[in-house]
Amino acid sequence: MLYIVYLLVFTNYRAEQAQDELLEDFELRYGDIGAALPGEEVEVAAEDAVIEPVSAGEAFAALWFERDGERVLHDDTLLVVEGISVPDLRRGPGHYPGTAEPGQPGNVGISGHRTTYGAPFYDLDQLQPGDEVHLVDRAGREWVYDVLEQRVIAPTELWVVGDDPLETGAPMLTLTTCNPRFSSSERLVVFAELRAA
């Protein structure tokens, strides 16, 4: 019983603390998330197109979900960390190393816990086609991805975080989490496509 309390209460408390620290650090380094400019409207010089890498466990991007202009799944903005190791995911959703930066060609891969450590993707299954996933990158640009579909797959199916998992040729975002809740026997995957300018 104490172990269940630890998993569901203490880990959530620790994750909330980590998210507060990440938000403060992100806004100190990269600016106010609420003041981000739409990515597709920002002209970027070639020398500014590359965003400096971050170390594992550091803030990679900010993320939230919307439907019809209203936030869904979470009221708060989630801070995504670089990396998907156990310590990284204890701080928040994690960016798969080697996958794309927000707004760039390729596939941005992000994984998150569903039941512990803040459960950032607890309700990921509630996303519907047409919902929006907003990402603010470290250059202060906001990118919008439109949800296309979701699938349940085996944990070994790593193709979902490849460069072009749906073979559309468009920049993509792939969100992954355990499925069903309180189990890791499967993975729930949500695919979204970058909104064109």
Side-chain angles (χ1 to χ4, degrees):
M1 188 66 156
L2 286 177
Y3 182 67
I4 292 172
V5 171
Y6 167 79
L7 283 178
L8 299 179
V9 177
F10 182 73
T11 63
N12 290 348
Y13 172 73
R14 292 299 300 250
E16 186 178 315
Q17 285 182 316
Q19 284 286 295
D20 290 343
E21 292 168 8
L22 287 165
L23 175 61
E24 184 178 330
D25 182 59
F26 191 89
E27 291 192 331
L28 278 172
R29 288 183 185 203
Y30 310 115
D32 181 8
I33 292 168
L37 297 171
E40 65 274 4
E41 295 178 12
V42 178
E43 290 191 32
V44 180
E47 63 272 9
D48 294 333
V50 176
I51 297 175
E52 289 296 317
V54 294
S55 299
E58 291 184 355
F60 169 80
L63 173 146
W64 68 91
F65 308 98
E66 290 186 10
R67 179 180 300 140
D68 300 325
E70 299 290 327
R71 287 203 182 196
V72 293
L73 308 190
H74 289 277
D75 291 332
D76 296 326
T77 299
L78 298 169
L79 274 296
V80 178
V81 299
E82 177 63 24
I84 57 166
S85 70
V86 171
D88 298 331
L89 294 179
R90 287 178 177 166
R91 304 190 78 208
H95 172 248
Y96 283 88
T99 65
E101 290 276 343
Q104 301 305 309
N107 182 23
V108 183
I110 297 175
S111 180
H113 280 294
R114 196 148 183 216
T115 53
T116 58
Y117 293 99
F121 288 172
Y122 184 82
D123 289 323
L124 199 65
D125 61 319
Q126 293 182 17
L127 285 178
Q128 303 168 6
D131 287 350
E132 300 171 352
V133 183
H134 293 251
L135 282 175
V136 174
D137 68 18
R138 297 181 310 284
R141 298 173 296 200
E142 180 181 342
W143 304 95
V144 180
Y145 291 80
D146 295 310
V147 173
L148 299 175
E149 64 177 274
Q150 59 177 262
R151 297 183 189 180
V152 174
I153 61 167
T156 55
E157 295 188 57
L158 302 179
W159 62 270
V160 298
V161 291
D163 280 344
D164 192 5
L166 299 182
E167 299 180 352
T168 64
M172 298 288 298
L173 167 68
T174 300
L175 305 172
T176 66
T177 193
C178 291
N179 191 70
R181 289 184 189 117
F182 304 101
S183 172
S184 60
S185 62
E186 301 171 327
R187 296 292 179 268
L188 174 66
V189 180
V190 172
F191 296 106
E193 183 175 294
L194 182 65
R195 183 174 292 173

